[in-house]
Amino acid sequence: MRAARLIKMVLLLQARPTMTATELARELEVSERTVTRDAQALAEAGVPVYADRGRAGGYRLVGGYRTRLTGLARSEAEVLFLSGVPGALREMGLEDAASAARLKVSAALLPSLKDAPSTAAQRFHLDAPGWWQEPKTPELLPAVAEAVWDDRCVRVGYRRPARREAKRATERATERATEREVERDLEPYGLVLKAGVWYLCARAAEKGGDFRVYRLDRFTAVAAGEARFVRDEGFDLPRFWEARAEEFARTVLRDTVVVRVSPAGAALLPYTTGDRGVVREALERAGEPDEEGRLTLTLPVESQEVAYSQLMAVGPELEVLEPAELRTRFTEAARALRQLYE
């Protein structure tokens, strides 16, 4: 532990001309007294660490000293390519490896390029979660990430949602969804962070198993075995995810509604439904606008219940034509609003 800290201290001083004890203590996550002891230990080991006294003082390396301990370990080299997603690295438990990799790269740069890492960091940043969402890191993410890196087979407990069964009770459609827990033996191929939600792309461990996608927040247990799997060289994670995401977006839309919408309402629909592609295709299929400038659209929706909450946000810029049950709900809502405001 101390040896790694001493190496990190040398790399920090090599990357910057001078650092105060306070700065080093913050970077190394130790006390200033420990920084003083570490500097003495480095000096005794032959590393020319010099301490400048006074308010503007600090620690520096004398005579342009450069360490040769800049070779990247495999884990450091791998996480270096994820440096643009610091939040994801932290959630997967890889922040320390990424920090060490960045320090080694900085130490190996020419003096004229020393500011390159900070220059890029001040100009580009990736914030994965959507607006107004409180991202929650799945507790089992680090264990899954470790298995993904090691190509290690895992047995997982998974809360699997049952198929939703729509039942007509009165005039409204109600949906029931129950969950049941199952166990799966998986070959974890890759992790995907989509809008703040983590997913695992994995293949069933039995021979000939197909690739599937699992939400990590539905995992109840993860146990990594000793066995490792041999990766399918033809598996392309970005391409697989793109295809599955498009397939999911289509299959979840199991119902349709017919609406009459104004130009202002058509502009609002992509935001209230959350699917610009579906709205764009519906607009392309629509005929000519009527005498009031409104278009009649057939919109794919997840369910009437979901459609009610999404389309209600468009207000008077949209009129539901079909199905009759949904139109009745909007009529009742309009009558209740009128009574409220009168």
Side-chain angles (χ1 to χ4, degrees):
M1 183 68 179
R2 190 189 185 196
R5 189 175 69 243
L6 292 174
I7 293 173
K8 186 174 182 179
M9 184 173 178
V10 174
L11 292 173
L12 284 168
L13 293 174
Q14 187 171 308
R16 309 178 195 178
T18 303
M19 293 186 70
T20 66
T22 302
E23 291 172 336
L24 284 168
R26 182 172 58 250
E27 291 283 352
L28 299 172
E29 298 181 351
V30 296
S31 66
E32 292 185 26
R33 181 174 295 181
T34 299
V35 169
T36 301
R37 288 198 298 264
D38 286 351
Q40 292 174 348
L42 287 171
E44 292 172 1
V47 178
V49 177
Y50 183 78
D52 290 317
R53 305 297 179 183
R55 179 178 297 180
Y59 292 92
R60 59 187 175 89
L61 294 175
V62 180
Y65 176 86
R66 298 184 65 82
T67 177
R68 295 181 179 274
L69 298 174
T70 53
L72 291 177
R74 179 176 180 83
S75 62
E76 295 168 348
E78 290 170 337
V79 300
L80 189 59
F81 291 97
L82 297 174
S83 293
V85 282
L89 285 170
R90 183 172 56 254
E91 293 174 4
M92 288 189 291
L94 299 172
E95 189 174 26
D96 289 344
S99 176
R102 285 192 294 267
L103 277 173
K104 289 182 178 181
V105 170
S106 297
L109 291 175
L110 294 172
S112 60
L113 300 177
K114 290 296 183 183
D115 64 340
S118 60
T119 299
Q122 292 301 321
R123 285 165 174 77
F124 300 100
H125 177 69
L126 175 63
D127 186 9
W131 289 104
W132 304 291
Q133 294 181 2
E134 186 66 30
K136 294 182 179 179
T137 304
E139 293 182 3
L140 298 173
L141 173 60
V144 175
E146 185 176 354
V148 170
W149 284 115
D150 289 346
D151 294 340
R152 196 178 294 275
C153 296
V154 294
R155 169 164 289 189
V156 303
Y158 188 74
R159 294 194 311 272
R160 179 180 179 182
R163 290 186 176 181
R164 294 180 178 178
E165 300 175 357
K167 288 195 173 184
R168 307 283 180 177
T170 54
E171 294 178 349
R172 298 186 178 186
T174 60
E175 290 186 346
R176 299 185 310 172
T178 57
E179 294 182 338
R180 60 190 181 92
E181 186 169 335
V182 297
E183 283 193 345
R184 292 285 185 270
D185 291 319
L186 302 176
E187 297 175 351
Y189 267 67
L191 288 164
V192 175
L193 178 60
K194 169 71 171 179
V197 180
W198 284 95
Y199 297 88
L200 174 67
C201 302
R203 184 165 64 179
E206 63 266 17
K207 187 176 181 179
D210 55 349
F211 287 98
R212 295 186 180 181
V213 177
Y214 301 85
R215 278 185 62 138
L216 255 70
D217 56 8
R218 291 187 175 275
F219 281 22
T220 58
V222 175
E226 295 297 324
R228 286 183 167 85
F229 63 92
V230 178
R231 281 182 170 265
D232 182 350
E233 295 298 331
F235 179 78
D236 186 319
L237 180 59
R239 186 175 299 175
F240 169 79
W241 175 258
E242 182 180 0
R244 284 303 174 91
E246 183 177 351
E247 179 185 340
F248 172 77
R250 298 298 177 182
T251 56
V252 77
L253 303 176
R254 301 184 297 271
D255 209 342
T256 57
V257 298
V258 181
V259 299
R260 184 169 167 263
V261 64
S262 70
L268 285 173
L269 274 176
Y271 302 98
T272 61
T273 62
D275 195 327
R276 296 187 179 186
V278 168
V279 174
R280 183 179 63 252
E281 291 176 5
L283 289 170
E284 291 173 352
R285 291 193 302 267
E288 295 296 320
D290 59 20
E291 62 276 5
E292 296 181 9
R294 294 189 172 233
L295 292 171
T296 299
L297 308 179
T298 300
L299 279 175
V301 295
E302 183 176 346
S303 67
Q304 290 189 37
E305 191 70 28
V306 173
Y308 176 77
S309 61
Q310 291 178 339
L311 302 181
M312 181 63 73
V314 185
E317 303 300 328
L318 178 143
E319 176 189 1
V320 174
L321 302 179
E322 297 177 11
E325 296 91 338
L326 186 58
R327 182 178 175 87
T328 299
R329 286 193 67 181
F330 272 77
T331 303
E332 293 174 350
R335 185 180 295 117
L337 282 171
R338 181 174 181 179
Q339 292 174 353
L340 178 66
Y341 284 98
E342 284 182 344

